[in-house]
Amino acid sequence: MTDSHDHLGPDLASLSMLELFRMEAENQCAALTADLLALERDPAASDLLESLMRAAHSLKGAARIVDLTPAVHVAHAMEDLLVSAQKGERSLQQEDIDRLLAGVDLLAGCAKVAEQEIVEWWQERRAEVETLVASLAGQGAGPPSAKPETPLPVSEPPPVKEPSPPRAKTKPRPGIEELGGLSVFDLFRAEAESQSAILEAQVQAWRERPEDTSCLEALIRGTHAIKGAARVVDFQGAARVAGALEKAFLACQRSRLPPGPALEGILGSGLRLLAGCSQLPDGSGAAWTAAHQEAVEQLETAVSGLASGQAAVQPAAPAAAPAPEPVQPELVRQPPADKPAPLPVRAGEAAGERALRVSAEAMNRLMGLAGEVLVESRWLPVFSQRMLGIKRRQDEVARLLGLARELALDDASRAQRLRRVDELRRKLDSCRAALHEGLAEIEDHARRSTETSHRLYREVVASRMRPFSEGVQGFPRMVRDVARELGKKVSLDIVGLDTLVDRDILEKIESPLNHLIRNAIDHGLESPEARLAAGKPEEGTIRLEARHSSGMLNIVVADDGRGVDLEGLRSAIVSRGKASAEMAAAMREAELLDFLFLPNFSTKETVSKISGRGVGLDVVHTVVHEVRGVVRASTRFGKGTTFELQLPLTLSVMRALLVEIAGEPYALPLVAIDRILRLPRSELRQVEGRQYFSLLDRRIGLVAGRQVLEKEGEVPEVDELPVIVLSDRFNQYGFLVDRFLRVSDLVVQALDPRLGKIKNISSAALLEDGGPVLIMDVEDVVRSMDLLISGDRLRPITERQHGGRTRRVKRILVADDSITVREVERKLLSAKGYDVDVAVDGMDAWNTVRNGGYDLVVTDVDMPRLDGIELVHLVKKDANLRLLPVIIVSYKDRKEDRQRGLEAGADYYLTKGSFQDETLVQAVETLIGEP
């Protein structure tokens, strides 16, 4: 079975020992923080003391290996304090918890420093370290930041046992990173030694408490850690022993098998083997593996029998190995195999070069799916060749049809004609059968390709997902510190820790959530006295919840505090000049709460370290908008306030509404759309040239998408107008499109940065047919609509009142390769009230006229790519355009030229001298009437 932690992005052996220490410090400090906060809530939890002591011991050992003496002192002082509390020699008070957390902060801080700066970082904090170590040792009661009167404690930790004399600083062997004379194998020995002690302690605890599943979980984590470390240093024998023990513990966990004589023999043999591995010098792993080959094989055979339910074979006792020196057991916190923890981003690493940790199983699945996609794609050229063969047969059918037509016109015999018809029928039947078979194949292929691509997409997205818990590890500590500073009692309830979130979104939303929680503590929750007076529990509650809903990620931050005083907020809006008193009085709850997200807006009269500057909620809105999400607020006075963040599941894929504007597709993110509706024309109203409609007792201004995007032409005449209601924090408008297409998942592609910011456009994507689609920037679109209205540049939808009825403005397409002629004709007809579009040649005119909506075409004769006569031929042959009137305007005024144009199907043939009088306008009015 492939190990789920084997694939770590960059090879772990390529990381220096300082980088490994930083990774260890980051993981252990997170565990220390969580356990200390839990111990503060439940001081009687002795198991937490044991866990804390082990974590501090592990950090001490790791710091000693990389020769970070200040970190060793801090971890050792923390461990001593925890050990004395575990033995009952002292009771941990609030001040002790504070000092322990200060130590965690110091150790965690070095995990965020660049490798080349870590020694200097500790040197700068020597005084802080001395103060903290003295206070942890009980030599002072001052705050952790105070300068101590005594140096580092006299009882320094015992030196780590060196298995071999120090080496000279020589060039390291290939594959080995050295630091201060210590190799990666030294790190493995320390890991194996400490983990062996843990395994011995946990096996003993399991013997005493067989029903305690936590012991088995710790044993599985410990053997898994040794197996991974052995593989890093290419110690195959130790990896096999640890893997066999891990398999045994997993079998016991699955079958709920208690410790027994057969199992005791397996475990004793395996643990003795591991203890021997921890005492070996560098380079002796291969020799040890060869010497203990038989014992390792017997251990694996015994474990296989145990896992299959058969009687376990007693493994032979391994060669005598020195027993490991007793050390304090330490807890190695490894994530479950199906949820690998991410590697920290290395200092100085570019954002575009970050390494992602992907499990071996996930990578194998991705590779398999990619191979399937590759094989399926190779089928397409073959299918294309088959379709070409069908096309050649159809050409033969067309040739035979021509011969049959000729035979029908002469006096050939009836029998000959029948033979030709029979041959033609056979060819047609062959074509139909081949086409039917081809269509069945393409449908089957499309189904398989769709299924494979969806599976591949799900796997790739899953590899980018991280549990929500990884982004909120520091929140319980932050809530504790802020609540204590404000003199409040607050509990944080986090729901949905296992909810998967895109790692990029998880990083970006940490700051907004931090602001919302701080805001809830300061603004939302009352003091303990006020809560008791209001009949509430003394301790306030903040609920942080993450869940998936309707293809989106929903994150809720809610408190059970005082809620927002809407009348007070209304007064603050007026006093700060954000709205008039009359306007504020008419605002509803949602509109009032939107003001909280404005920059520099706060309802607090005083400024503190926590709030009052009007920055927090503005940051929330800005960051949420950057990830294409929305944030909404709701409140119940006296009951609490809720903020809901609606975010996409991933930044790489967007669920969007596809619309058509001026014959081109555009995409609008679904999360940014307020409402989609089909508006009957009868509900359209107009005041001072501005059109609007009523929605939920509000007047919504209507702006055509063609005008926002500066497209020519007007919206097609339909009974119901397709409208999308869009808004920002200030305005709400109806965005009129030509038609709705569908809802689709789009893979977002960033635009070339050399293009700069494109107005109203944020990014692009490819549709299923390979065609491009632009993704609109909704806030930019709303801003453009506001500028059109405020600047009095809004063009009404093309309707004119005539006889009490609405009538569409008639559209004319002018095609001429001369810009002068085009402009003269356009201005002449536009002055009469027609809506005129232009084309630069015949081919441009043909492509444009097929998109529909024109009442007349005016064309020249001599044009590049496609001349006017050929254009008229194409228009008159088209079933949808054959009734479209065409006027030819040319310099050629010979009779044969005129006759050629009229025979092609033109309705009028005029010379370009007609510009000087009303001949062209009269011809237009004759053919299509007034504008």
Side-chain angles (χ1 to χ4, degrees), residues 820-850:
T820 303
V821 174
R822 284 200 309 269
E823 282 302 299
V824 169
E825 292 179 349
R826 187 187 68 79
K827 290 181 178 179
L828 184 64
L829 296 172
S830 296
K832 295 295 181 179
Y834 295 99
D835 184 9
V836 183
D837 291 340
V838 295
V840 298
D841 57 32
M843 184 59 71
D844 187 23
W846 173 238
N847 292 332
T848 304
V849 76
R850 282 183 297 173

Side-chain angles (χ1 to χ4, degrees), residues 706-835:
R706 288 175 177 251
Q707 187 172 0
V708 172
L709 299 176
E710 299 178 3
K711 298 287 186 179
E712 296 290 336
E714 302 297 340
V715 177
E717 186 176 6
V718 291
D719 293 334
E720 293 182 328
L721 301 173
V723 176
I724 304 171
V725 180
L726 305 174
S727 65
D728 57 13
R729 285 186 287 172
F730 310 101
N731 307 291
Q732 187 174 49
Y733 296 113
F735 185 67
L736 180 62
V737 301
D738 292 1
R739 63 189 180 105
F740 300 134
L741 297 178
R742 63 187 179 278
V743 174
S744 180
D745 291 323
L746 302 178
V747 179
V748 180
Q749 304 288 342
L751 299 175
D752 193 308
R754 291 173 294 183
L755 297 174
K757 176 64 177 81
I758 300 178
K759 184 180 179 182
N760 302 317
I761 302 298
S762 64
S763 51
L766 291 178
L767 298 175
E768 292 85 346
D769 59 2
V773 60
L774 293 176
I775 300 173
M776 305 190 76
D777 184 335
V778 172
E779 280 210 357
D780 211 6
V781 169
V782 175
R783 196 177 302 114
S784 296
M785 290 192 286
D786 184 60
L787 290 174
L788 285 172
I789 292 177
S790 60
D792 202 21
R793 295 182 290 116
L794 190 63
R795 186 173 66 239
I797 298 173
T798 26
E799 288 183 341
R800 292 185 178 178
Q801 296 297 330
H802 184 73
R805 295 175 300 171
T806 60
R807 186 166 63 88
R808 184 176 63 88
V809 174
K810 290 174 179 162
R811 303 178 65 205
I812 299 174
L813 178 65
V814 171
D816 201 298
D817 60 330
S818 169
I819 185 172
T820 303
V821 174
R822 284 200 309 269
E823 282 302 299
V824 169
E825 292 179 349
R826 187 187 68 79
K827 290 181 178 179
L828 184 64
L829 296 172
S830 296
K832 295 295 181 179
Y834 295 99
D835 184 9

